[in-house]
């Protein structure tokens, strides 16, 4: 990688890794990620850089031309305004142009920068110039991680009398990537992107002194314009290729830099009245007043006519919407693994087939697509295609072609659609079938990336398609399409042939004309497409189409590549065409000509064609420290401390934390004697003392009171003369905290339980045998107080209440002390590696947690008191998300956002029944109000979000809220206050309403990105994706009161409140299953007896009312 250059005043070596060395450089393994180096170095931007793709290059020249020396003099004198004027006599110009950072999936990022060493008899200066948008990456791979790039000056090792020691090291950046990114934005010379340093008298480069003018009056340009279209004519200008020991003499190619040339005009006139160009309209003003309109990953820049938003390096988009350049990839310990990029949406419209007078209607048909970005191959499927239409849609492979163009494999120097315009654009296609001139119009609205990192699209079809007879298949050969790029507009057109294989064995070749227009939003004050070639060619091959009549699906697949309109180089390397056959967890390494090798990524073994994950946990059981659990993950592993331990400062050693002490169990509490008081453990080292029924006091001292009927009954039994053993028919009654009979009474000897009325009399038909208990209706021992509700700061709290929330791969809990989260006592309840858990719910009767997960779609449960997880539903699920429990009726409800329906089942997963299956688009959150028999759910359909309600049997369905909603992700219902509350990631608000009154009110605004929400007393708790936190909001004050960030920092999903005892309330399904043979579903005035959907021949009886 090294090349030498020498003159009488200077000798150094140029390195493609972004530096020049004043002595022989050592092997790169000695300095990459291990600065300072042992040799002298001037580093404009040093890292592990790549020029092997033929696009990234390094140029240098020695220059004494008056123009270059004058430019160097202007920069130096502007940087040091108080010094004597300097006029260099010699200059060496080194340019690193489009040097490459290559990731496993060919995410291409390039940096461009320039170093000028200007000298005169008494001193030398280093001028470093960074092009605007020239720094696209700020760190490079280092071993199994990454290292921030370095800029600065190193003296190297200095020889002492006996030993060598490290000489001065002047670093102009830090270990923060932001310090690298701002090099093109800031200065020390008074000109943006230009940095000047006096480096002493050559060849020693000592006493580095930086420029003294950090203000930014103007913008910088490179000493020479870096024009990719360089004429092959130069003298004194040398292009150096990467050093290869066996390549013989280094080839010298002629290159000449061109002088600055006018920019392309900012206004492009398109002579076509049919094209509606949507120019992005910013409000007139400056960034000061409009910065909030830019993406959080964008910078706002003022221009003479207004302002524009620009995505920062490492992000795609138009500035208003920016997505991480790594979007669509999985990052594990900074190693990129290829995973498919998905697109979801709906298809609407009406089509005629051939000469048929009857239209075939599309009504919210599902469209799913994904691209394997490693080779640019896209897959598309559209559901619910009737047999009368399916064969005739086979020629239209480009129905999903936009995602192929958006994520096409990029040849060097070219960009796919998403790299240019992001994920928000409109697409209009006109198809004309020949020779009959049947016309079809396709309109698609691409709405950006949703919270699952899926591209969202809405498709509308209108017109007539040429008929393809039933039973026919279609073959489409490779084709190419030229895309024309201009401001806010991309167009293409082509004529395509396809072959129809008829059922009788004959074939027909048919043709249609294709005309496409893509419009998008860009800033009118800045030429956003100045670096995009005006024409690029999309090449599509390996096309597969199929109508799956049995499943009513139409499927397409194709490989996509974006590149030169002239077809690229004569011999294209398979690494750039995507035809390399490397495993998706491997990187393709291009060689000479068409040669290449496949190399498995770190954490994988194999020959590159087939790579399999290394299970580090199995191969090395001691890989994690003592008291740590090893979780294998694709390409890597993760160590997590056991419960009761936390990582020390080294991030590897697990050290013990203060273990909680259950004083009640160990009898170290200070409560009154057990005959008068009860000790209740509340988590951590806390407990509560409370007096038993018939006694009053603070729990530490309890005194007797006037006896109630139950207390008298209980005392008479306990104080009666005892024989050898009491009669079997006798039992000791249980009284509640008010002295009334508990609704359920149990015999301590026989294990039988039964329900009683307020007088303690057994209710016929409620007795159960040992091992089971009836659901008894609370008969209200003490009437509720009359008057206003109590103050929020005196709400009674049950002991041991805590929050349960889901992360990807586990469920955590945090205890509540009052309304405060005991963050130090938070820990994982359940580890489920490689699962994505979405919804979580709690059954307060059996102390069970229920959850939904979408990796292998299922609904499962586990006891929080210990035990293995059990899947209760595994079949006929696609994307189960929200889940809710009716603890009185012993049923669970859930939403499925792909099947677009709401179901109910018994808690063991049997007796499934669909209760809502119409007019749903993206149902997610769902919540029950068991005492009143109501069900509530949210549909975050971006086009028409809404919150709905119905009875628990699905009847009396109605829309509660449809206006001023954005993305209502989470719902919660607070029974004591009768408030339904929701958190909206679109409006960034928390709001509440009483469903019976409709009195909607705002609790808090300005929240970030909520997902799940629950409530307890005065507080609302929600999970936030951007903050990776559980956030508490006081709904009375409307202010955030607390925040907890779990030790594992990933996206948080559903959250629920786990009560230590069930909330008070009753419904008609609580006793004897409401008299129903199967499902008992509560309603406000009674219950409905319903049969499961598969109830044929099981003797099920349906009836409504009570």
């Amino acid at each position: 990688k090294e090349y030498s250059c020498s003159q009488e005043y200077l000798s150094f070596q140029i390195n493609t890794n972004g530096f020049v060395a004043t002595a022989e450089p050592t092997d790169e393994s000695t300095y990459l990620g291990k600065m300072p180096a042992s040799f002298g170095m001037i580093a404009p931007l040093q890292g592990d850089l790549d020029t092997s793709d033929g696009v990234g290059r390094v140029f240098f020249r020695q220059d004494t031309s008056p123009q270059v020396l004058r430019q160097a003099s202007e920069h130096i004198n502007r940087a040091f305004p108080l010094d004597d004027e300097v006029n260099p006599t010699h200059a060496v110009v080194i340019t690193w142009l489009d040097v490459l950072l290559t990731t496993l999936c060919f995410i291409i990022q390039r940096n461009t920068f320039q170093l000028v060493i200007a000298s005169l008899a008494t001193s030398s200066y280093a001028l470093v110039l960074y092009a605007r948008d020239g720094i696209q990456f700020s760190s490079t791979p280092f071993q199994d991680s990454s290292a921030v790039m370095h800029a600065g000056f190193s003296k190297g090792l200095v020889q002492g009398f006996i030993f060598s020691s490290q000489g001065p090291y002047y670093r102009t950046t830090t270990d923060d990537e932001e310090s690298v990114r701002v090099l093109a934005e800031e200065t020390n010379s008074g000109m943006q992107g230009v940095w000047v340093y006096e480096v002493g008298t050559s060849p020693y480069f000592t006493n580095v002194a930086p420029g003294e003018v950090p203000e930014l009056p103007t913008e910088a340009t490179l000493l020479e314009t870096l024009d990719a279209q360089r004429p092959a004519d130069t003298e004194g200008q040398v292009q150096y290729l990467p050093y290869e020991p066996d390549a013989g003499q280094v080839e010298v190619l002629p290159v000449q830099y061109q002088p600055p040339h006018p920019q392309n005009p900012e206004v492009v006139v398109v002579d076509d009245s049919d094209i509606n160009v949507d120019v992005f309209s910013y409000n007139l003003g400056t960034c000061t007043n409009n910065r909030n309109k830019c993406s959080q990953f964008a910078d706002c820049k003022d221009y003479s006519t207004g302002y524009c938003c620009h995505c920062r390096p490492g992000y795609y988009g138009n500035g208003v919407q920016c997505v991480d350049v790594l979007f669509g990839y999985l990052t594990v310990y900074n190693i990129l693994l290829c995973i498919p990029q998905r697109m979801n949406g709906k298809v609407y419209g009406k089509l005629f087939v051939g000469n048929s007078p009857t239209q075939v209607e599309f009504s919210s048909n599902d469209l799913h697509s994904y691209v394997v970005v490693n080779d640019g191959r896209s897959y598309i499927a559209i559901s619910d295609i009737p047999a009368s239409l399916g064969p005739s849609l086979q020629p239209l492979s480009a129905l999903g072609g936009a995602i192929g163009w958006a994520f096409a494999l990029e040849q060097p120097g070219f960009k796919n659609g998403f790299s240019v315009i992001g994920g928000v654009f409109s697409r209009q296609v006109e198809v004309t079938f020949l020779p009959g001139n049947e016309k079809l119009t396709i309109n698609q609205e691409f709405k950006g990336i949703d919270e699952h990192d899926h591209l969202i699209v809405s498709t509308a079809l209108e017109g007539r398609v040429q008929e393809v007879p039933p039973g026919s298949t279609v073959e489409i050969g490779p084709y190419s399409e030229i895309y024309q790029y201009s401001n806010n507009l991309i167009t293409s057109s082509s004529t395509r042939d396809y072959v129809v294989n008829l059922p009788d064995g004959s074939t027909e070749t048919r043709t249609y004309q294709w005309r496409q227009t893509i419009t998008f939003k860009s800033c009118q004050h800045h030429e956003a497409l100045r670096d995009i070639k005006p024409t690029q060619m999309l090449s599509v091959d390996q096309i597969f189409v199929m109508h799956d009549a049995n499943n009513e699906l139409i499927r397409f697949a194709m490989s996509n590549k974006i590149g030169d309109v002239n077809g690229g180089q004569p011999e294209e390397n398979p690494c750039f065409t995507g035809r390399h056959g490397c495993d998706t967890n491997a990187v393709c390494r291009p060689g000479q000509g068409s040669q290449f090798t496949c190399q498995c990524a770190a954490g994988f073994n194999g020959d590159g064609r087939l790579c399999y994950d290394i299970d580090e946990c199995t191969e090395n059981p001691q890989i994690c420290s003592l008291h740590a659990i090893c979780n294998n993950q694709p390409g890597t592993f993760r160590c997590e401390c056991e419960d009761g331990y936390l990582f020390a400062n080294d991030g590897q050693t697990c050290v013990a934390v203060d273990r909680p002490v259950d004083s009640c169990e160990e009898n170290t509490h200070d409560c009154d004697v057990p005959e008068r008081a009860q000790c209740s453990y509340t988590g951590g080292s806390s407990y509560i003392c409370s007096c038993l029924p018939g006694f009053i006091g603070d729990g530490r001292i309890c005194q007797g009171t006037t006896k109630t009927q139950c207390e008298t009954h209980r005392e008479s039994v306990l104080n009666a003369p005892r024989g050898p053993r009491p009669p079997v028919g006798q039992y000791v009654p249980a009284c509640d905290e008010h002295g009334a009979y508990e609704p359920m009474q149990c015999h301590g000897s026989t294990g039988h339980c039964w329900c009683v009325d307020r007088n303690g009399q057994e209710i016929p038909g409620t007795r159960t045998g040992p091992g089971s208990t009836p659901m008894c209706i609370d008969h209200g021992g003490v009437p509720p107080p009359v008057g206003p509700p109590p103050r929020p700061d005196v709400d009674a709290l049950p002991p041991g209440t805590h929050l349960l929330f889901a992360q990807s791969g586990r469920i955590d809990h945090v205890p509540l002390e009052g309304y405060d989260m005991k963050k130090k006592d938070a820990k994982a309840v359940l580890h489920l590696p490689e699962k994505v858990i979405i919804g979580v719910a709690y059954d307060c009767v059996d102390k069970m947690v229920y959850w939904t997960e979408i990796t292998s779609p299922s609904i499962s449960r586990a006891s929080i008191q210990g035990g293995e997880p059990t899947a209760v539903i595994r079949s006929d699920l696609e994307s189960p998300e929200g889940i809710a429990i009716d603890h009185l009726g012993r049923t669970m409800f859930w939403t499925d956002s792909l099947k677009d329906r709401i179901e109910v089942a018994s808690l063991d997963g049997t007796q499934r029944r669909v209760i809502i299956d119409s007019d749903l688009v993206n149902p997610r959150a769902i919540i029950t109000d068991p005492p009143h028999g109501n069900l509530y759910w949210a549909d975050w359909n971006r086009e028409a979000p809404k919150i709905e309600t119905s009875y628990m049997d699905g009847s009396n369905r109605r829309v509660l809220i449809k206006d001023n909603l954005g993305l209502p992700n989470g719902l919660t219902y607070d029974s004591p206050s009768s408030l339904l509350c929701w958190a909206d990631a679109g409006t960034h608000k928390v709001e509440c309403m009483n469903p019976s009154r409709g009195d909607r009110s705002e609790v808090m605004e300005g929240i970030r990105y909520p997902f799940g929400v629950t409530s307890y007393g005065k507080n609302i708790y929600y999970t936030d994706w951007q903050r990776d936190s559980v956030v508490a909001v006081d709904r009375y004050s409307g202010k955030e009161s607390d925040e907890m960030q779990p030790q594992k920092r990933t996206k948080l999903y559903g959250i629920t409140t786990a009560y230590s005892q069930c909330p008070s309330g009753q419904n008609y399904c609580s006793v004897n299953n409401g008299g129903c043979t199967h499902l008992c579903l509560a309603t406000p005035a009674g219950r409905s007896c319903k049969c499961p959907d598969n109830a044929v021949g099981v003797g099920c009886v349906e009836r409504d009312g009570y």
Side-chain angles (χ1 to χ4, degrees):
K1 286 188 175 182
E2 290 81 32
Y3 308 94
S4 297
C5 166
S6 64
Q7 275 193 352
E8 59 182 3
Y9 69 98
L10 180 63
S11 176
F12 58 80
Q13 295 188 343
I14 301 168
N15 192 289
T16 58
N17 277 341
F19 66 88
V20 298
T22 61
E24 180 72 22
T26 57
D27 185 83
E28 66 178 23
S29 63
T30 65
Y31 62 80
L32 287 177
K34 302 174 183 178
M35 291 293 288
S38 61
F39 54 90
M41 175 188 293
I42 301 177
L45 202 54
Q46 177 263 342
D48 189 5
L49 305 178
D50 188 2
T51 58
S52 63
D53 65 339
V55 177
R57 301 173 183 178
V58 181
F59 303 93
F60 78 87
R61 72 180 185 278
Q62 302 170 12
D63 203 321
T64 57
S65 66
Q67 178 185 4
V68 170
L69 294 178
R70 183 176 63 253
Q71 285 183 268
S73 175
E74 289 174 354
H75 287 313
I76 295 170
N77 293 321
R78 186 177 58 252
F80 299 98
L82 301 181
D83 293 356
D84 294 337
E85 184 174 319
V86 172
N87 293 294
T89 57
H90 299 82
V92 177
V93 182
I94 308 106
T95 304
W96 289 264
L97 173 64
D98 290 335
V99 289
L100 179 67
L101 169 70
T102 303
T103 62
L104 294 182
C105 296
F106 291 95
I107 306 175
I108 305 301
Q109 295 176 284
R110 301 181 184 276
N111 283 353
T112 295
F113 50 92
Q114 189 176 69
L115 169 67
V116 179
I117 301 176
S119 300
L120 58 160
T122 57
S123 62
S124 296
Y125 294 83
L127 290 71
V128 190
L129 302 97
Y130 303 96
R132 183 196 298 170
D133 300 329
I135 301 180
Q136 298 181 2
F137 58 92
S138 52
S139 61
T140 58
F142 171 63
Q143 295 178 356
D144 291 335
S145 183
S146 63
V148 177
M149 302 183 74
H150 281 242
F153 306 83
S154 175
K155 181 68 173 177
L157 292 178
V158 177
Q159 182 64 49
F161 182 72
I162 299 177
F163 302 105
S164 297
S165 62
Q166 182 66 46
Y169 176 44
Y170 182 92
R171 187 175 179 184
T172 58
T173 57
T174 68
D175 287 328
D176 184 358
E177 293 192 48
E178 183 63 22
S179 69
V180 179
R181 289 192 284 264
V182 300
L183 289 174
E185 305 297 328
E186 299 179 355
T187 184
N188 68 2
S189 72
M191 181 171 285
Q192 180 177 327
V194 178
W195 300 77
V196 179
Y197 303 88
E198 184 178 5
V199 292
T201 304
S202 75
Y204 303 106
F205 300 124
T206 58
N207 303 321
V208 175
E212 300 168 353
V213 184
E215 293 79 16
L216 290 170
T218 59
E219 294 181 356
T221 57
L222 296 180
L223 286 182
E224 306 289 347
T225 300
L226 302 178
D227 185 2
Q229 306 297 325
R230 295 183 174 91
D233 176 45
T234 183
E235 293 182 3
Q237 182 84 31
V238 184
Q239 173 188 348
Y240 278 85
L241 300 177
Y243 174 67
E244 297 175 3
D246 300 330
Q249 184 177 353
V250 177
E251 182 182 2
V252 179
L253 299 180
V255 176
Q256 178 173 337
Y257 292 104
Q258 297 298 310
H261 56 274
Q263 300 285 333
N264 292 330
E266 290 197 3
V267 179
V268 177
V269 179
V270 182
D271 186 17
D272 192 332
S273 59
D274 294 336
I275 298 176
N276 177 22
V277 180
D278 184 11
V279 178
F280 196 96
S281 58
Y282 286 75
N283 293 330
L284 292 178
T286 65
C287 292
T288 302
N289 301 322
N290 296 279
R291 191 178 305 275
N292 63 340
K293 296 181 180 177
C294 298
S295 165
Q296 62 174 320
F297 304 117
D299 295 318
C300 186
K301 186 173 182 58
D302 286 318
Y303 295 89
S304 58
T305 58
Y307 71 93
C308 288
C309 303
H310 299 287
C311 294
R312 295 171 186 157
Y315 292 87
Y316 288 131
N318 61 0
V320 176
Q321 183 185 46
C322 298
V323 178
D324 194 326
V325 72
L326 302 183
F327 143 81
Y329 301 84
L330 175 65
T331 304
V332 182
Y333 288 147
N334 296 318
I335 303 298
L336 295 180
L337 306 177
C338 302
I339 59 175
Q341 171 55 51
R342 297 187 179 276
M343 178 176 76
N344 295 328
K346 300 290 185 179
V347 182
Y348 306 88
K350 299 177 181 179
L351 289 181
F352 292 98
V353 179
N355 297 320
S356 172
T358 304
Q359 286 182 319
V360 179
E361 184 172 352
F362 289 85
S363 179
S364 192
N365 295 49
D366 286 326
L367 182 152
H368 297 289
S369 175
Y370 69 91
V371 174
V372 180
V373 292
N374 197 19
D375 58 12
R377 186 157 181 81
S378 58
Y379 300 83
I380 303 97
I382 304 175
S383 65
D384 300 323
I385 303 296
S388 60
L389 175 62
S392 302
L393 286 183
Q394 293 180 95
L396 299 174
S397 61
L399 271 173
I403 192 173
W405 165 74
F407 296 97
L409 187 67
E410 297 174 332
Q411 287 190 308
F414 296 86
K415 294 186 175 182
N416 59 31
F418 198 82
S419 301
V420 178
I421 63 175
V424 179
F425 57 92
S426 299
R427 180 189 190 222
Q428 180 179 340
V429 179
E430 294 179 359
V431 183
T432 303
F433 295 89
L434 301 178
N437 287 326
E438 297 92 343
K439 291 186 180 297
L440 167 68
T441 300
I442 305 172
N443 286 295
Q444 291 183 305
E445 292 292 330
F446 290 81
K447 303 175 183 180
I449 306 301
D450 70 2
E451 70 279 4
H452 296 298
D453 290 337
H454 295 175
L455 185 62
I456 302 302
V457 61
S458 176
T459 302
L461 305 178
E462 198 75 34
R464 188 179 296 272
V465 296
Q466 200 170 71
E467 183 177 15
V468 173
S472 302
T473 61
V474 169
E475 296 178 8
I476 303 176
Y479 63 86
S480 298
E481 192 170 11
I482 295 178
Y483 281 66
Q484 307 281 346
Y485 294 76
S486 60
N487 281 359
N488 306 304
L489 179 68
I490 301 171
T491 60
S492 69
S493 61
S494 63
T495 300
R496 302 184 188 175
D497 295 330
Y498 60 97
V499 176
V500 180
N501 300 308
L502 298 170
D504 61 5
S506 61
T507 62
E508 292 181 4
T509 299
R510 300 184 184 181
T511 302
Y512 64 77
Q513 295 176 340
W514 176 273
R515 184 168 179 260
Q516 174 179 243
T517 301
I518 296 173
T519 58
F520 58 96
K521 298 177 179 181
S522 65
C523 183
Q524 57 187 330
H525 307 297
H526 177 255
E527 189 178 358
L529 296 178
R530 70 182 188 281
D531 296 328
I532 306 302
K533 292 178 173 59
T535 58
Q536 300 190 74
M537 185 168 70
L538 178 71
S539 300
V540 183
D541 58 10
Q542 296 178 286
I543 303 166
F544 168 82
V545 299
M546 183 185 73
H547 173 231
D548 184 350
N550 293 332
N551 294 306
E552 296 187 326
L553 291 171
I554 186 77
R555 300 181 185 273
F556 306 106
M558 64 205 76
S559 294
N560 308 272
K561 178 180 65 179
I562 197 77
D564 192 346
V565 295
N566 297 316
Q569 300 177 3
E571 186 177 21
E572 296 177 296
N573 193 286
C575 289
F576 302 135
T577 65
R579 297 182 179 178
H580 45 73
C582 297
D583 190 271
T584 55
N585 290 311
V587 60
C588 182
R589 301 290 188 188
Q592 293 294 324
S594 60
Q595 297 180 358
F596 67 95
T597 58
C598 299
Q599 178 183 340
C600 291
F604 291 86
N605 274 338
D607 59 2
R609 300 282 183 172
L610 178 63
C611 300
Y612 57 90
D613 178 47
I614 300 172
D615 189 341
E616 295 87 352
C617 301
T618 301
E619 292 192 359
N620 185 4
Q622 308 302 320
I623 196 169
C624 294
S625 66
L626 187 65
H627 301 300
I629 299 171
C630 182
N631 287 325
N632 186 58
Q633 297 178 355
T636 186
F637 66 96
R638 191 176 191 89
C639 297
E640 296 181 3
C641 291
E642 297 173 349
D643 291 341
Y645 292 85
L646 293 174
F647 280 119
N649 292 334
D650 63 2
Q652 298 178 351
T653 307
C654 294
V655 296
V657 296
D658 292 336
R659 293 183 176 274
V661 177
D662 186 348
S663 298
C664 298
E665 182 176 349
E666 297 186 6
N667 201 27
T668 58
H669 58 83
D670 59 352
C671 301
D672 204 340
V673 296
E675 291 78 13
R676 293 193 293 267
Q678 177 183 3
C679 179
S680 301
Y681 177 58
T682 59
S685 298
S686 302
Y687 60 91
I688 293 176
C689 298
S690 56
C691 296
L692 292 175
F695 298 88
I696 59 173
D698 61 2
R700 288 169 172 78
I701 300 177
C702 300
Q703 298 177 342
T705 62
T706 304
K707 305 295 188 296
T708 63
Q709 181 182 355
C710 178
E711 293 166 346
T712 302
H713 184 182
R714 177 183 176 85
E715 190 173 277
S716 67
V717 174
L718 291 175
N719 295 332
R722 302 285 181 93
R725 60 191 313 175
V728 174
Q730 190 176 15
Y731 78 101
V732 179
C735 307
D736 66 16
E737 58 188 350
H738 303 293
Y741 284 98
E742 289 281 3
M744 183 180 69
Q745 300 287 322
C746 294
H747 197 293
S749 300
T750 66
H752 289 81
C753 295
W754 60 91
C755 299
V756 300
D757 61 18
R758 67 176 60 251
N759 296 316
Q761 298 299 309
E762 180 177 351
I763 299 175
T766 62
R767 183 177 288 264
T768 62
S772 63
T773 57
M775 287 297 299
C776 301
I777 298 175
D778 185 359
H779 41 68
V782 175
V786 178
R791 287 168 48 87
D793 56 359
V794 295
D795 282 353
L797 299 176
T801 297
H802 49 273
L803 302 177
L804 294 171
F805 60 91
Q807 296 190 74
S808 181
R810 64 196 240 173
I811 297 175
D812 288 27
H813 94 121
V814 56
L816 294 179
E817 187 171 44
Y819 299 118
D820 298 328
M821 293 182 285
K822 299 177 67 177
K823 291 176 273 192
K824 291 184 178 180
D825 295 330
K827 65 177 182 180
V829 175
L830 196 61
H831 287 273
L832 297 166
E834 301 179 8
K835 302 293 185 182
V836 178
I837 302 170
I838 301 297
V840 60
Y842 181 69
D843 174 24
C844 59
V845 176
D846 291 336
K847 309 291 186 186
M848 302 282 283
V849 58
Y850 289 73
W851 65 90
T852 62
E853 66 97 0
I854 59 175
T855 313
S856 51
S858 64
I859 299 175
S860 304
R861 67 181 179 181
S863 170
I864 65 168
Q865 298 172 329
E868 293 294 321
T870 303
V872 293
I873 296 180
R874 296 186 181 186
S875 62
D876 199 23
L877 297 172
E878 290 189 24
S879 184
E881 296 188 11
I883 185 170
I885 302 294
D886 174 8
H887 68 282
L888 299 177
R890 314 309 290 151
T891 53
M892 61 179 172
F893 300 79
W894 69 92
T895 60
D896 193 314
S897 66
L898 289 182
K899 286 186 172 292
D900 296 336
R901 69 191 190 192
I902 297 174
E903 290 188 69
V904 64
S906 299
L907 291 180
D908 60 1
T910 61
Q911 304 188 52
R912 288 178 63 175
R913 179 184 177 93
V914 176
I915 57 173
I916 302 289
D917 62 356
S918 63
D919 197 24
L920 292 176
V921 178
N922 295 112
R924 173 174 292 153
I926 188 168
I927 200 75
T928 59
D929 175 16
H932 299 100
N934 288 319
L935 191 66
Y936 303 95
W937 66 90
D939 188 331
W940 57 269
N941 173 16
R942 291 180 181 270
E943 296 182 355
K946 58 186 176 180
I947 297 174
E948 294 187 90
T949 184
S950 73
Y951 297 161
M952 286 188 170
D953 61 357
S955 64
N956 195 35
R957 179 184 179 183
R958 60 198 184 281
V959 175
L960 282 178
I961 307 161
K962 63 178 180 179
D963 297 325
N964 299 319
L965 292 176
L967 194 62
N969 268 337
L971 283 178
T972 183
Y973 184 80
D974 181 59
S975 186
S977 63
S978 299
L979 284 180
L980 177 71
C981 300
W982 64 94
D984 194 314
T987 63
H988 305 290
K989 294 179 180 180
V990 176
E991 297 183 79
C992 295
M993 73 174 298
N994 186 314
S996 63
R997 297 200 300 262
D999 51 349
R1000 180 176 180 177
S1001 62
E1002 180 182 304
V1003 175
M1004 186 179 179
E1005 63 179 354
I1007 61 176
R1008 299 281 289 281
Y1009 204 107
F1011 189 90
V1013 63
T1014 189
S1015 58
Y1016 179 62
K1018 68 172 185 175
N1019 275 0
I1020 293 174
Y1021 305 87
Y1022 69 88
T1023 56
D1024 193 293
W1025 273 19
Q1026 292 185 357
R1027 297 168 64 174
D1028 293 333
S1029 301
V1030 177
V1031 183
V1033 174
D1034 187 323
R1035 61 184 172 91
Y1036 294 102
S1037 66
K1039 296 180 179 179
E1040 181 178 318
S1041 59
D1042 200 3
E1043 177 186 22
M1044 190 210 72
Q1045 289 184 328
Q1047 180 181 357
K1048 181 182 179 183
R1049 297 292 299 277
T1050 61
K1051 285 181 178 178
L1052 308 186
Y1053 292 90
I1055 185 171
T1056 191
T1057 304
Y1059 298 95
S1060 62
Q1061 61 187 45
C1062 291
S1064 61
Q1066 60 187 29
N1067 67 29
Y1068 287 93
C1069 295
S1070 302
V1071 179
N1072 287 337
N1073 197 40
C1076 299
T1077 60
H1078 288 75
L1079 284 171
C1080 180
L1081 303 176
T1083 64
R1087 57 92 178 96
S1088 291
C1089 295
K1090 296 296 182 182
C1091 296
D1093 289 335
N1094 58 350
V1096 178
V1098 295
C1100 182
V1101 177
E1102 289 196 349
R1103 55 180 174 172
D1104 297 328
Y1106 200 79

